[in-house]
PDB file of all heavy atoms in Angstrom:
ATOM      1  N   CYS A 301      -5.444  -4.640  -9.436  1.00  0.00           N
ATOM      2  CA  CYS A 301      -6.465  -3.886  -8.704  1.00  0.00           C
ATOM      3  C   CYS A 301      -7.750  -4.718  -8.617  1.00  0.00           C
ATOM      4  O   CYS A 301      -7.835  -5.811  -9.178  1.00  0.00           O
ATOM      5  CB  CYS A 301      -6.718  -2.551  -9.398  1.00  0.00           C
ATOM      6  SG  CYS A 301      -7.445  -2.733 -11.037  1.00  0.00           S
ATOM      7  N   LEU A 302      -8.740  -4.165  -7.947  1.00  0.00           N
ATOM      8  CA  LEU A 302      -9.994  -4.896  -7.727  1.00  0.00           C
ATOM      9  C   LEU A 302     -10.704  -5.261  -9.033  1.00  0.00           C
ATOM     10  O   LEU A 302     -11.198  -6.385  -9.183  1.00  0.00           O
ATOM     11  CB  LEU A 302     -10.918  -4.044  -6.846  1.00  0.00           C
ATOM     12  CG  LEU A 302     -12.235  -4.651  -6.384  1.00  0.00           C
ATOM     13  CD1 LEU A 302     -12.010  -5.908  -5.544  1.00  0.00           C
ATOM     14  CD2 LEU A 302     -13.025  -3.623  -5.574  1.00  0.00           C
ATOM     15  N   CYS A 303     -10.749  -4.363  -9.987  1.00  0.00           N
ATOM     16  CA  CYS A 303     -11.443  -4.660 -11.249  1.00  0.00           C
ATOM     17  C   CYS A 303     -10.575  -5.459 -12.211  1.00  0.00           C
ATOM     18  O   CYS A 303     -11.080  -5.977 -13.211  1.00  0.00           O
ATOM     19  CB  CYS A 303     -11.936  -3.374 -11.911  1.00  0.00           C
ATOM     20  SG  CYS A 303     -10.647  -2.396 -12.713  1.00  0.00           S
ATOM     21  N   GLY A 304      -9.274  -5.544 -11.945  1.00  0.00           N
ATOM     22  CA  GLY A 304      -8.377  -6.351 -12.763  1.00  0.00           C
ATOM     23  C   GLY A 304      -7.789  -5.642 -13.967  1.00  0.00           C
ATOM     24  O   GLY A 304      -6.987  -6.220 -14.698  1.00  0.00           O
ATOM     25  N   GLU A 305      -8.183  -4.373 -14.177  1.00  0.00           N
ATOM     26  CA  GLU A 305      -7.661  -3.642 -15.349  1.00  0.00           C
ATOM     27  C   GLU A 305      -6.185  -3.267 -15.173  1.00  0.00           C
ATOM     28  O   GLU A 305      -5.422  -3.279 -16.124  1.00  0.00           O
ATOM     29  CB  GLU A 305      -8.489  -2.372 -15.593  1.00  0.00           C
ATOM     30  CG  GLU A 305      -9.926  -2.626 -16.033  1.00  0.00           C
ATOM     31  CD  GLU A 305     -10.036  -3.163 -17.450  1.00  0.00           C
ATOM     32  OE1 GLU A 305      -9.199  -2.815 -18.288  1.00  0.00           O
ATOM     33  OE2 GLU A 305     -10.974  -3.959 -17.703  1.00  0.00           O
ATOM     34  N   VAL A 306      -5.814  -2.893 -13.954  1.00  0.00           N
ATOM     35  CA  VAL A 306      -4.421  -2.524 -13.688  1.00  0.00           C
ATOM     36  C   VAL A 306      -3.681  -3.768 -13.207  1.00  0.00           C
ATOM     37  O   VAL A 306      -4.102  -4.406 -12.228  1.00  0.00           O
ATOM     38  CB  VAL A 306      -4.314  -1.396 -12.631  1.00  0.00           C
ATOM     39  CG1 VAL A 306      -2.859  -1.048 -12.357  1.00  0.00           C
ATOM     40  CG2 VAL A 306      -5.086  -0.164 -13.075  1.00  0.00           C
ATOM     41  N   LEU A 352      -5.164   3.949 -16.673  1.00  0.00           N
ATOM     42  CA  LEU A 352      -6.255   4.117 -15.703  1.00  0.00           C
ATOM     43  C   LEU A 352      -5.748   4.580 -14.332  1.00  0.00           C
ATOM     44  O   LEU A 352      -6.532   4.807 -13.424  1.00  0.00           O
ATOM     45  CB  LEU A 352      -7.009   2.793 -15.517  1.00  0.00           C
ATOM     46  CG  LEU A 352      -7.800   2.284 -16.713  1.00  0.00           C
ATOM     47  CD1 LEU A 352      -8.339   0.888 -16.435  1.00  0.00           C
ATOM     48  CD2 LEU A 352      -8.951   3.239 -17.033  1.00  0.00           C
ATOM     49  N   CYS A 369      -6.606   3.146  -9.210  1.00  0.00           N
ATOM     50  CA  CYS A 369      -7.280   2.826 -10.469  1.00  0.00           C
ATOM     51  C   CYS A 369      -8.565   3.661 -10.542  1.00  0.00           C
ATOM     52  O   CYS A 369      -9.387   3.599  -9.628  1.00  0.00           O
ATOM     53  CB  CYS A 369      -7.612   1.331 -10.499  1.00  0.00           C
ATOM     54  SG  CYS A 369      -8.722   0.860 -11.840  1.00  0.00           S
ATOM     55  N   VAL A 370      -8.737   4.425 -11.621  1.00  0.00           N
ATOM     56  CA  VAL A 370      -9.926   5.275 -11.727  1.00  0.00           C
ATOM     57  C   VAL A 370     -11.194   4.465 -11.969  1.00  0.00           C
ATOM     58  O   VAL A 370     -12.302   4.952 -11.765  1.00  0.00           O
ATOM     59  CB  VAL A 370      -9.793   6.365 -12.826  1.00  0.00           C
ATOM     60  CG1 VAL A 370      -8.701   7.346 -12.476  1.00  0.00           C
ATOM     61  CG2 VAL A 370      -9.564   5.755 -14.197  1.00  0.00           C
ATOM     62  N   ASN A 371     -11.032   3.230 -12.397  1.00  0.00           N
ATOM     63  CA  ASN A 371     -12.197   2.378 -12.635  1.00  0.00           C
ATOM     64  C   ASN A 371     -12.762   1.812 -11.335  1.00  0.00           C
ATOM     65  O   ASN A 371     -13.972   1.794 -11.140  1.00  0.00           O
ATOM     66  CB  ASN A 371     -11.805   1.251 -13.591  1.00  0.00           C
ATOM     67  CG  ASN A 371     -12.995   0.554 -14.200  1.00  0.00           C
ATOM     68  OD1 ASN A 371     -13.980   1.199 -14.546  1.00  0.00           O
ATOM     69  ND2 ASN A 371     -12.911  -0.749 -14.325  1.00  0.00           N
ATOM     70  N   CYS A 372     -11.911   1.332 -10.435  1.00  0.00           N
ATOM     71  CA  CYS A 372     -12.406   0.660  -9.222  1.00  0.00           C
ATOM     72  C   CYS A 372     -11.948   1.307  -7.922  1.00  0.00           C
ATOM     73  O   CYS A 372     -12.423   0.930  -6.855  1.00  0.00           O
ATOM     74  CB  CYS A 372     -12.002  -0.814  -9.243  1.00  0.00           C
ATOM     75  SG  CYS A 372     -10.237  -1.104  -9.011  1.00  0.00           S
ATOM     76  N   GLY A 373     -11.037   2.268  -7.974  1.00  0.00           N
ATOM     77  CA  GLY A 373     -10.620   2.976  -6.767  1.00  0.00           C
ATOM     78  C   GLY A 373      -9.547   2.296  -5.942  1.00  0.00           C
ATOM     79  O   GLY A 373      -9.130   2.838  -4.913  1.00  0.00           O
ATOM     80  N   SER A 374      -9.079   1.126  -6.370  1.00  0.00           N
ATOM     81  CA  SER A 374      -8.044   0.427  -5.591  1.00  0.00           C
ATOM     82  C   SER A 374      -6.716   1.175  -5.652  1.00  0.00           C
ATOM     83  O   SER A 374      -6.354   1.709  -6.701  1.00  0.00           O
ATOM     84  CB  SER A 374      -7.783  -0.965  -6.169  1.00  0.00           C
ATOM     85  OG  SER A 374      -8.955  -1.712  -6.231  1.00  0.00           O
TER      86      SER A 374
HETATM   87 ZN1   ZN B   2      -9.283  -1.269 -11.128  1.00  0.00          ZN
END
Side-chain angles (χ1 to χ4, degrees):
C301 66
L302 185 60
C303 75
E305 293 289 328
V306 179
L352 293 173
C369 169
V370 295
N371 196 39
C372 70
S374 304

